[in-house]
Amino acid sequence: MHRPDPHGTTPGTIAPHIPADLYRHLDGRNVVIVQPPAPARSVGKWAVPLAIGLAGAAGVIGLVAAAVAVFDYAVRTAALIGSTTGPIGLGLSLKLFQSKNK
């Protein structure tokens, strides 16, 4: 429920994190807001480990991709050799293993 301001006009935005009851209790007196200092960590302190971690992750992904590519190439080569020598191998086997007593 909206209550009208007892002082008439509301001044500009003054420290919106101060509770309304405390603000009204001040009756227009000055308020000093103390903010904690900014964190001491600079950009370099977290950017370097982040860059190293991302580079390591990219390297691992690259190694996995290369291993998968080599495995895929080996499987395709074996399948190609097996498919081309299959009929030849079958013909040689039939010729070698046919009975000698005709």
Side-chain angles (χ1 to χ4, degrees), residues 1-5 10 24:
M1 179 157 119
H2 179 68
R3 290 189 285 168
D5 187 17
T10 305
R24 287 189 185 96

Side-chain angles (χ1 to χ4, degrees), residues 79-99:
L80 178 69
I81 291 172
S83 67
T84 56
T85 60
I88 297 170
L90 182 63
L92 286 175
S93 296
L94 290 175
K95 206 164 212 183
L96 288 174
F97 295 121
Q98 62 180 232
S99 66

Side-chain angles (χ1 to χ4, degrees), residues 22-93:
L22 179 60
Y23 178 74
R24 287 189 185 96
H25 185 266
L26 291 173
D27 289 330
R29 288 182 283 174
N30 291 336
V31 178
V32 177
I33 299 172
V34 179
Q35 293 181 342
R41 293 189 68 128
S42 65
V43 173
K45 288 194 176 192
W46 58 266
V48 172
L50 181 66
I52 291 172
L54 289 174
V60 169
I61 289 172
L63 285 174
V64 169
V68 168
V70 168
F71 183 70
D72 182 51
Y73 181 73
V75 168
R76 288 179 186 258
T77 303
L80 178 69
I81 291 172
S83 67
T84 56
T85 60
I88 297 170
L90 182 63
L92 286 175
S93 296

